[in-house]
Amino acid sequence: MSKMIVVCGSPESGKTTASLKLAQELYDQKKGSVIFLSPDMRVPSLAYIFPHSKASDLYSIGKALDKTDIYHEDVLKQLVPVKTMRNFGFYGYTTGENKYSYPRPTEDKIAALFHVMKEIADYMVVDCVSDMDDLISRMAINRADNVIQMITPDLKSIVYYASQAEMFENIEERSFKVLCVCDRDIYLPIEEVKSHFKNVSYILPYSRPLKQQTITGTLSERLADSKYQKKVAAIAKRVI
């Protein structure tokens, strides 16, 4: 049976990199079909995950949502594949697209999209937008089998979850928290933040190779960092 795993959290909490590496790990562990979906229209993920690809090789999930009815073939046409990973694909928006590019999708359209995606793939990993006004992200959180809440060791993350408390209280039994160390400052209040949230399940360490992938536009490639990957593998086992 197909599963939907959602990764959400405050801005700059490492959601996209963590969800992408989780999707790759799920593919490696299960050897099944995996879809990575990023509904962010402010900073379209396909633009920086595949910065070296031709524009003609990148497709937009907005075109599938713009259809009157959503069928398998419409969704499959917008899948961005990875040559080295069979049955692994990306859905998102491309360079130049924004919230004015397409009509705002309705709940029934998004529900139909999720239904088709879950029929296509064994695992669907959704990289949610921090703004809960995004309907795709909000519906994904409400329908997910597992919700991974990314937090960072700073006040911004604490304030974000305080402001979204009602949303996350409703999915507490399906969620767990992952603390992401996104930089290497001399002092980061990791223990203090863990104590504040009380139930942090995993800590993703700072990864220089991951930072390098972000800078060079190679996030779609496997990560050569055993320490980071070990933590991602543990998260993958939990959601399988």
Side-chain angles (χ1 to χ4, degrees), residues 1-5 30 33 117-124 143-145 239-240:
M1 189 172 96
S2 181
K3 294 189 72 174
M4 180 190 290
I5 297 107
K30 297 300 289 184
S33 52
M117 285 185 174
K118 293 188 79 172
E119 288 189 341
I120 292 172
D122 298 310
Y123 290 93
M124 179 179 164
R143 292 164 178 257
D145 296 285
V239 300
I240 287 176

Side-chain angles (χ1 to χ4, degrees), residues 21-208:
K21 297 311 172 187
L22 173 62
Q24 291 171 336
E25 183 64 29
L26 287 169
Y27 176 85
D28 288 338
Q29 287 192 21
K30 297 300 289 184
K31 294 301 179 185
S33 52
V34 177
I35 285 175
F36 173 83
L37 168 64
S38 176
D40 195 347
M41 297 190 77
R42 296 172 303 171
V43 186
S45 61
L46 296 182
Y48 60 85
I49 293 176
F50 301 103
H52 309 299
S53 297
K54 296 178 182 179
S56 58
D57 293 333
L58 300 180
Y59 314 106
S60 174
I61 194 61
K63 292 182 179 179
L65 285 168
D66 199 31
K67 297 281 187 179
T68 304
D69 296 301
I70 297 177
Y71 298 105
H72 282 67
E73 55 268 28
D74 298 317
V75 176
L76 286 171
K77 281 181 181 178
Q78 305 309 321
L79 180 72
V80 178
V82 181
K83 292 180 180 179
T84 58
M85 300 171 72
R86 185 181 179 185
N87 296 325
F88 187 102
F90 293 80
Y91 285 113
Y93 294 96
T94 60
T95 301
E97 293 186 323
N98 55 54
K99 65 180 181 179
Y100 303 110
S101 300
Y102 304 99
R104 183 179 172 89
T106 58
E107 288 192 19
D108 60 325
K109 285 278 189 74
I110 296 169
L113 176 69
F114 287 167
H115 178 74
V116 171
M117 285 185 174
K118 293 188 79 172
E119 288 189 341
I120 292 172
D122 298 310
Y123 290 93
M124 179 179 164
V125 179
V126 184
D127 169 29
C128 286
V129 180
S130 297
D131 185 359
M132 288 298 105
D133 185 51
D134 180 73
L135 187 57
I136 297 177
S137 297
R138 194 164 69 247
M139 288 181 64
I141 290 172
N142 288 330
R143 292 164 178 257
D145 296 285
N146 296 100
V147 178
I148 301 172
Q149 296 175 244
M150 300 293 294
I151 63 175
T152 48
D154 53 40
L155 286 173
K156 182 192 292 185
S157 189
I158 292 174
V159 171
Y160 173 81
Y161 280 105
S163 69
Q164 305 294 337
E166 185 176 351
M167 163 68 77
F168 293 112
E169 282 175 2
N170 295 332
I171 49 105
E172 191 171 352
E173 72 283 354
R174 295 181 284 119
S175 69
F176 60 93
K177 294 181 177 64
V178 174
L179 191 151
C180 181
V181 181
C182 298
D183 56 45
R184 294 197 304 177
D185 283 350
I186 294 175
Y187 172 74
L188 288 172
I190 294 174
E191 293 303 320
E192 289 86 342
V193 172
K194 282 179 60 181
S195 176
H196 172 81
F197 285 105
K198 295 183 176 62
N199 57 343
V200 175
S201 301
Y202 305 93
I203 296 179
L204 284 175
Y206 173 79
S207 172
R208 184 182 179 88

Side-chain angles (χ1 to χ4, degrees), residues 10-23:
S10 57
E12 305 300 323
S13 60
K15 298 185 302 298
T16 300
T17 52
S19 55
L20 177 51
K21 297 311 172 187
L22 173 62

